[in-house]
């Protein structure tokens, strides 16, 4: 996918400013990498890969106090796991300490740096404000020799911490505060994880960073937007120090993700305060946490691709990350059955134990593989799949009702066994003919054998924070979600399932926890639910302000759909940004952009459709004109199919596999009962016929039957062509590809004198 940085690189290569691309990812080893870092990693390593260049992994380790080898190791592991390779390009900024010092001496000799004895507070005060220029320090015009002498004394540890600093001498009146004699070095009597006790002074980021880039021959130094003001200083350092190359800095928007925090300081706080079990707690947005939870590198990379690279900050909907992982796991994970909250069921009429050969994947995934599933008289079903008094629309088990056991019989509940008012077991009979007959009942539930299943622990995770923007809170800990972890110890998994990640049917995607699992005592982490249940919950919660409003104003609230959409965007910068993107970048009409960005569920649905089929206008046309009509009052969040399915459907139409009208038929079925477009097309035999062998006889017959019309066409009445195409279409039952029919009819009428 293109972005503004790629455009810059293309231009640099075109005009010969560079003949290769060298980027770098420069983490400070003071914490674990998180999903925001993944965005930067994918960008930097992705550029190097696509342009046949290099990407360095550099430890930005110029601060002795917080850095540690343990973090260095973790960072390397995470970058590798994400699928990137730095080759021999692994560096430490600390390895340049001698060269940084030489560069500082060079600046002092050139009269461009001085040792200042003002305190940190005084320096801040002397620096002035945006509206008032700074004042010179009384030490600013020291002679060069005195500066050289003092700098050397700083280096060897002659002064305690805080006595003095080295500052660049630039411009105290600069509108850019960063240019008002910034600090280059400070004294720190601290051991460094790499250089030990050798240094008593350590360089500042703004000095070390451009020099490191230059020493490594970096061509494009990509950082996040907060560093925009630092760019002038970056260029100043490159210009005034002896360097072998002239890198340039470019800024992009850092990733902010809803319902989590991405600041290493805050993540460290969560770890140290034991709010989570560690850096790799599966609720953490760290790479280590996501890995342990069961995320795949492919899913994280595709998420980074999905969100793109832009120049304005915005919070990304966490639904996008979940979408990316679902999308990846769907094709990857075998389906198995696991009962999370077991309720015992006896199938009273089962003649004996059976073994069912159950496929691992549904047909639309197109993957082979099956495992044996034991069916015994005593089974477990999900507690939730039984209701003593069924609610309206509940199609699972209740007294006297029937349900199908996945891959097996239809059973009917005959008897409910209670103890102290609580349902403890059910007795059911199976319709032993129901596998053969395949007769339909409304519900299908998952189950496991009670005697031949394995007990497992399952950990259900929810968002770590209760609010979308915990960073906006005064105390981010106050909005931690108390229900972010739920441990179920009594779960039962079918016995012969093999793998590390599964879809537990009807429950979600789960992965074996690599840390706490033991032989015979597996622990599973829920990676993600099957659908975005949070969106539905948020919607239920949303009407609150409206009802509050009602108290003040009892008149009926009449608001048009357009007003609702406008309000939704006013409340959500993410939706507002989508509106602009749909209109300006994707070229949708105002109207389509408005509808598709006016409701989070529909908008997410559209995004998902786009990632399955990139023709935005075609997808938007189907989403706005066809789908909206079928939805009526329902929300896109309640659909039985996801946006990906709509995208795939539109792709089938655009690619000519099915006609537009067949597409509408498929969509109607999707809305009514869900499913996969390709599978529906096959089952209903909707594939367009474009094969000449099949169409030519129909064309011939139609032409032969209408000699008058043929004569009129040949006399110059071009409108007759439409008549013939219509006849052929009708006779093909609407399955013929109209474009192909058009060609065949035209060829038949113009080159053949018969008829
Ligand atoms: P924090 O503010 O949490 O300490 P940081 O930016 O200081 O994070 P570094 O280790 O210095 O963390 O970051 C290494 C690289 O990763 C930098 O180039 C930085 O721009 C990039 N990066 C860090 N956080 C994000 C983010 N949320 N989105 C995109 N890139 C990021
Ligand atoms: Mg940093």
């Amino acid at each position: 996918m293109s972005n503004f940085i790629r455009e810059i690189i293309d231009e640099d290569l075109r005009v010969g400013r560079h003949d290769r691309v060298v980027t770098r990812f420069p983490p400070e080893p003071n914490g674990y990498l998180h999903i925001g870092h993944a965005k930067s990693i994918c960008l930097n390593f992705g550029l190097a890969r696509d342009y046949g260049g290099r990407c360095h992994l550099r430890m930005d380790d110029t601060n002795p106090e917080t850095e540690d080898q343990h973090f260095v190791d973790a960072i390397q592991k995470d970058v590798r796991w994400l699928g990137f390779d730095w080759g021999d390009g692994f560096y430490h900024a600390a390895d340049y300490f001698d060269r940084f010092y030489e560069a500082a001496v060079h600046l002092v000799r050139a009269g461009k740096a001085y040792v200042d004895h003002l305190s940190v507070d005084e320096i801040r005060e002397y620096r002035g404000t945006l509206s008032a220029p700074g004042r010179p320090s009384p030490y600013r015009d020291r002679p060069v020799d005195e500066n050289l002498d003092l700098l050397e004394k700083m280096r060897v540890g002659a002064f305690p911490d805080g006595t003095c600093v080295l500052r660049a001498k630039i411009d105290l009146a600069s509108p850019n505060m960063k240019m008002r004699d910034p600090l280059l070095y400070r004294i720190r009597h601290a051991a460094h994880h790499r250089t030990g006790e050798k240094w008593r002074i350590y360089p500042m980021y703004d000095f070390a960073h451009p020099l490191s880039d230059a020493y490594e021959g970096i061509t494009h130094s990509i950082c996040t937007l907060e560093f925009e003001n630092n760019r002038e200083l970056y260029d100043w350092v490159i210009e005034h120090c002896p360097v072998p190359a002239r890198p340039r800095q470019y800024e992009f928007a850092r990733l902010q993700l809803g319902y989590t925090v991405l600041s290493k300081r805050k993540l460290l706080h969560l770890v140290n305060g034991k709010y989570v079990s560690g850096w790799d707690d599966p609720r953490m947005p760290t790479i280590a946490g996501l890995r342990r939870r069961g995320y795949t590198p492919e899913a994280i990379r595709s998420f980074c691709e999905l969100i793109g690279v832009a120049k304005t900050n915005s919070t990304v909907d966490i639904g996008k990350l979940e979408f990316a992982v679902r999308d990846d796991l769907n094709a990857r994970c075998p389906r198995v059955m696991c009962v999370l909250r077991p309720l015992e069921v006896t199938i009273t009429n089962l003649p004996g134990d059976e073994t069912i050969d159950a496929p691992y994947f549904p047909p639309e995934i197109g993957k082979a593989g099956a495992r044996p599933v034991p069916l015994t008289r005593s089974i477990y079903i999900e507690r939730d799949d039984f209701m003593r008094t069924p609610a309206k629309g509940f199609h699972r088990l209740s007294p006297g009702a029937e349900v199908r056991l996945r891959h097996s019989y239809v059973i009917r509940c005959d008897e409910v066994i209670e103890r102290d008012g609580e349902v403890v077991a059910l007795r059911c009979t199976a319709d032993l003919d129901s596998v053969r007959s395949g007769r339909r009942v409304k519900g299908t539930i998952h189950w496991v054998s009670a005697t031949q299943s394995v007990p497992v622990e399952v950990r259900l995770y929810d968002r770590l924070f209760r609010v979308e923007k915990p960073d906006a809170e005064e105390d981010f800990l106050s909005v931690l979600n108390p229900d972010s972890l739920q441990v179920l110890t009594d779960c039962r998994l079918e016995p012969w399932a093999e793998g590390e990640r599964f879809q537990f049917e009807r429950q979600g995607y789960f992965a074996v926890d690599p840390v706490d699992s033991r032989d015979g005592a597996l622990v599973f982490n829920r990676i993600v639910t099957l659908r975005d249940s949070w969106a539905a919950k948020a919607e239920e919660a949303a009407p609150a302000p409206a009802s509050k409003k009602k108290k003040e104003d009892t008149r009926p609230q009449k608001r048009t759909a357009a007003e609702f959409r406008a309000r939704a965007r006013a409340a959500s910068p993410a939706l507002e940004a989508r509106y602009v993107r749909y209109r300006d970048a994707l070229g949708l009409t105002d109207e389509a952009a408005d509808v598709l960005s006016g409701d989070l569920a529909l908008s997410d649905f559209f995004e998902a459709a786009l990632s399955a089929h990139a023709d935005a206008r075609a997808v938007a046309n189907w989403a706005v004109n066809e789908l909206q009509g079928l939805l009526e009052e329902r929300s896109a969040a309640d659909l039985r199919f996801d946006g990906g399915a709509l995208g795939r459907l539109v792709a089938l139409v655009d690619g000519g596999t099915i006609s537009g009208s067949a597409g509408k038929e498929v969509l109607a079925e999707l809305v009514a009962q869900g499913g996969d477009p390709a599978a529906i097309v096959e089952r209903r035999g909707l594939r367009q016929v474009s094969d000449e062998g099949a169409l030519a006889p129909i064309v011939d017959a139609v032409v032969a039957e209408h000699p008058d019309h043929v004569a009129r066409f040949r006399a110059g009445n071009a409108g007759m062509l439409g008549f013939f195409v219509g006849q052929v279409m009708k006779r093909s039952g609407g399955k013929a590809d109209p474009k192909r029919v058009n060609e065949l009819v035209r060829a038949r009428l113009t080159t053949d004198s018969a008829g």
Side-chain angles (χ1 to χ4, degrees), residues 127-420:
R127 194 168 268 156
T129 63
L130 280 176
S131 50
R135 283 181 288 142
S137 158
Y139 307 100
R140 193 174 198 254
D141 291 316
R142 279 193 152 129
V144 167
D145 285 346
E146 196 179 316
N147 278 319
L148 284 175
D149 181 51
L150 287 168
L151 178 58
E152 177 63 13
K153 288 206 168 92
M154 283 169 66
R155 181 178 73 82
V156 298
F159 306 124
D161 283 8
T163 5
C164 51
V165 295
L166 183 73
R167 292 177 74 178
K169 196 181 207 175
I170 307 182
D171 178 6
L172 291 168
S174 171
N176 182 350
M177 301 293 284
K178 299 268 179 209
M179 299 299 277
R180 296 188 183 178
D181 290 10
L183 271 56
L184 301 180
Y185 266 101
R186 66 205 162 118
I187 301 172
R188 278 284 179 282
H189 289 262
H192 186 278
H193 77 105
R194 198 159 170 85
T195 57
E197 304 283 340
K198 178 174 175 190
W199 293 89
R200 305 286 86 178
I201 56 173
Y202 290 95
M204 305 301 290
Y205 171 89
D206 282 321
F207 184 55
H209 196 74
L211 291 177
S212 306
D213 283 345
Y215 297 158
E216 292 173 19
I218 302 300
T219 53
H220 299 81
S221 174
I222 302 164
C223 64
T224 43
L225 281 179
E226 323 77 272
F227 292 96
E228 207 167 355
N229 285 336
N230 303 54
R231 194 196 318 132
E232 202 179 345
L233 178 52
Y234 185 102
D235 291 342
W236 185 91
V237 171
I238 295 293
E239 174 155 354
H240 292 95
C241 295
V243 288
R246 306 191 140 248
R248 308 252 341 220
Q249 175 184 306
Y250 301 94
E251 307 89 22
F252 72 104
R254 71 188 290 121
L255 173 67
Q256 296 160 231
L257 195 60
Y259 298 96
T260 191
V261 292
L262 292 182
S263 133
K264 278 193 282 194
R265 189 180 55 77
K266 288 180 180 167
L267 294 174
L268 185 66
H269 201 103
L270 291 174
V271 173
N272 288 345
K274 304 233 181 323
Y275 297 96
V276 294
S277 65
W279 284 103
D280 69 346
D281 185 301
R283 291 166 293 177
M284 290 281 271
T286 51
I287 305 300
L290 293 168
R291 173 172 57 231
R292 178 168 171 193
R293 177 143 166 187
Y295 271 68
T296 58
E298 289 82 358
I300 295 176
R301 292 201 303 262
S302 98
F303 167 71
C304 292
E305 189 70 25
L306 186 71
I307 56 177
V309 174
K311 270 195 277 196
T312 41
N313 281 319
S314 66
T315 298
V316 171
D317 190 339
I318 196 169
K320 279 203 175 153
L321 179 60
E322 293 175 355
F323 165 77
V325 70
R326 269 185 209 112
D327 196 50
D328 181 54
L329 297 178
N330 179 35
R332 178 193 287 272
C333 290
R335 275 63 169 170
V336 298
M337 296 190 285
C338 180
V339 174
L340 301 189
R341 299 169 183 88
L343 173 64
E344 194 181 344
V345 171
T346 305
I347 307 173
T348 50
N349 64 333
L350 194 71
D353 292 357
E354 295 182 12
T355 304
I356 299 156
D357 207 29
Y360 269 134
F361 291 94
E364 65 267 22
I365 302 291
K367 275 197 180 171
R371 80 289 183 191
V373 178
L375 174 69
T376 50
R377 268 172 63 96
S378 176
I379 62 171
Y380 289 123
I381 66 166
E382 208 68 62
R383 213 153 251 291
D384 287 357
D385 283 334
F386 174 78
M387 275 181 103
R388 193 127 193 38
T389 320
K392 191 159 169 278
F394 182 83
H395 296 307
R396 290 162 278 161
L397 216 48
S398 53
E402 284 187 323
V403 79
R404 183 173 289 275
L405 297 177
R406 177 79 167 133
H407 300 302
S408 183
Y409 301 117
V410 170
I411 57 170
R412 189 188 59 231
C413 175
D414 303 322
E415 196 182 330
V416 180
I417 299 166
E418 295 186 30
R419 201 175 302 133
D420 304 327

Side-chain angles (χ1 to χ4, degrees), residues 558-596:
K558 271 199 187 157
R559 228 176 247 122
T560 66
E563 280 174 315
F564 271 113
R565 293 196 294 268
R567 279 161 54 99
R569 277 192 297 273
S572 159
L575 282 179
E576 178 60 33
R578 282 184 187 178
Y579 173 73
V580 174
R581 191 176 112 240
Y582 294 169
R583 197 192 50 196
D584 298 345
L586 301 185
L588 303 189
T589 60
D590 267 347
E591 187 194 46
D594 172 22
V595 169
L596 294 172

